[in-house]
Amino acid sequence: NPWKCPHCAYIQHNHRGPDLRRHIATHSRQQWICCGLPLLEAAAAGVPDRVFADKNAVWTYAGEVMVGGCRWTFSRKDAFRRHLRKEEGRCWGD
């Protein structure tokens, strides 16, 4: 099937090449990760105390403790920025 992702079971049902290429890019070059903010910067950025108390919101990414990210990955910067706007109050990043 030419519309099946070679990395997973995803099939591009609308047969749009750019959509399939964008999906495949998420497997190979995950450039944007909603990983939150470094612990030392989070309080200054306005991350509320309730987020620090949530065990799932504090995690380690690339050897640094991060706060306030959902860990979703994005292949495009505009999609990541849209996610941050949509999830305002839940996800933080820059």
Side-chain angles (χ1 to χ4, degrees), residues 17-60:
D19 293 346
L20 180 60
R21 285 189 294 276
R22 185 172 54 239
H23 168 80
I24 292 170
T26 64
H27 293 290
S28 60
R29 59 170 211 256
Q30 297 174 348
Q31 299 174 352
W32 306 99
I33 301 173
C34 182
C35 59
L37 296 170
L39 183 62
L40 299 175
E41 297 174 21
V47 176
D49 292 335
R50 66 176 167 75
V51 176
F52 291 96
D54 182 0
K55 293 177 185 177
N56 293 326
V58 180
W59 64 297
T60 303

Side-chain angles (χ1 to χ4, degrees), residues 2 4-5 7 11 14 29 33-34 38 45 54-55 58 62-63 65 78-79 86 90 93:
K4 184 189 176 305
C5 174
H7 305 287
I11 296 175
N14 68 5
R29 59 170 211 256
I33 301 173
C34 182
D54 182 0
K55 293 177 185 177
V58 180
V65 178
D78 66 313
K86 181 181 170 193
R90 180 174 170 256

